[in-house]
Amino acid sequence: MQFDKLFNADGRVGRKDWIIWIVGIAIIFGIIAWILGDRGQWVQAILSIIAGIAGIFMGIKRLHDLDKSGWLYLLGFIPIVNFFFAIYLIFFKGT
């Protein structure tokens, strides 16, 4: 994965890179929380905002890999639908 294209909605992201992104962010945030403890709340808040924005772009790229419009990413903000939408993004094979 190229980090210079992280904040860009152009291109595609396959299942492997999508899962690596999700697991990698979770591991990194867990390590930061463990190291900083309660003192790192502001650091985690800033990193969460940055990772959230990058995650939206990754989701749009994943939809492009599935030959769908990036606007469908808005389904992720609807309760209950977001669960099935995440399963679709993770398990369906792209082109």
Side-chain angles (χ1 to χ4, degrees), residues 34-85:
W34 179 67
I35 291 172
L36 297 178
D38 291 336
R39 299 180 310 257
Q41 291 176 351
W42 287 104
V43 173
Q44 283 190 320
I46 293 168
L47 289 177
S48 295
I49 291 170
I50 293 169
I53 293 169
I56 290 172
F57 286 115
M58 292 289 285
I60 292 171
K61 289 179 190 180
R62 179 71 184 119
L63 284 167
H64 289 169
D65 187 50
L66 295 166
D67 291 330
K68 305 292 183 201
S69 171
W71 287 102
L72 284 177
Y73 193 76
L74 294 175
L75 291 175
F77 295 107
I78 301 173
I80 299 173
V81 174
N82 60 6
F83 173 74
F84 297 105
F85 182 67

Side-chain angles (χ1 to χ4, degrees), residues 8-53:
N8 188 351
D10 296 332
R12 296 169 178 257
V13 172
R15 285 185 293 183
K16 178 182 158 188
D17 288 336
W18 174 257
I19 292 171
I20 289 172
W21 168 259
I22 294 170
V23 173
I25 290 296
I27 290 171
I28 289 170
F29 278 26
I31 291 170
I32 291 172
W34 179 67
I35 291 172
L36 297 178
D38 291 336
R39 299 180 310 257
Q41 291 176 351
W42 287 104
V43 173
Q44 283 190 320
I46 293 168
L47 289 177
S48 295
I49 291 170
I50 293 169
I53 293 169

